[in-house]
Amino acid sequence: MAEPELTTEAFETARERGEARLRGPRAEAAHYDAGRDRVILRLTTGIEIGFAPRDAEGLQGAKPEDLSEIEIDALGLGIHFPRLDADLYLPALLDGVLGSPGWMAARLGAAGGKARGGAKAAAARANGRRGGRPRKAAAG
């Protein structure tokens, strides 16, 4: 059985229904503020949020000219950086998630590895008294 052809009118009707069903804030504008090194998003609620590009997956190390062009996708739910071919999902950004689970875990692990404090130093001293880290066995 052949699928019915999707007309422009049917598509627009479906799009309008979908927009009516969307709840919560959506992005309506975005720009890069080079002076503050922040990507700024204006939401449909009137609130503006900003984040440093180095903190978002796909944007770390980007040059200001790479961030100068930002597109709002998916009815305000997606943020696209065409010069970097990078995408961010607004609901995740609002939850503080600036990348994929693997990328976020690597960032958290790197931060934990750089942590300095009494507990970490005490654990390192105790490990040293036990002979330090065990040597890896040679593959055989």
Side-chain angles (χ1 to χ4, degrees), residues 8-9 12 15 44 50 64 66 68 74 79 82 107 115 117 123 131 134 136:
T8 302
E9 182 180 340
E12 283 302 313
R15 186 186 61 75
T44 54
D66 295 332
S68 65
I79 314 302
R107 295 274 306 216
K136 292 183 178 180

Side-chain angles (χ1 to χ4, degrees), residues 36-89:
R36 295 188 303 163
D37 188 31
R38 293 282 183 269
V39 173
I40 308 295
L41 304 174
R42 188 176 68 238
L43 307 180
T44 54
T45 59
I47 294 173
E48 287 188 348
I49 62 169
F51 60 91
R54 70 179 172 275
D55 293 333
E57 183 176 17
L59 305 184
Q60 64 278 28
K63 296 179 175 70
E65 57 268 18
D66 295 332
L67 300 167
S68 65
E69 189 178 343
I70 305 172
E71 299 172 352
I72 307 297
D73 287 346
L75 301 172
L77 297 177
I79 314 302
H80 180 65
F81 297 82
R83 294 181 182 193
L84 300 167
D85 193 26
D87 296 287
L88 299 173
Y89 183 54

Side-chain angles (χ1 to χ4, degrees), residues 104-117 120-121:
M104 293 289 291
R107 295 274 306 216
L108 289 171
K114 292 178 185 174
R116 296 178 188 256
K120 185 174 179 180

Side-chain angles (χ1 to χ4, degrees), residues 7-41:
T7 65
T8 302
E9 182 180 340
F11 177 80
E12 283 302 313
T13 301
R15 186 186 61 75
E16 288 170 6
R17 273 196 323 263
E19 281 185 20
R21 290 181 180 164
L22 286 174
R23 299 291 179 247
R26 293 178 284 147
E28 62 181 16
H31 71 277
Y32 175 64
D33 183 338
R36 295 188 303 163
D37 188 31
R38 293 282 183 269
V39 173
I40 308 295
L41 304 174

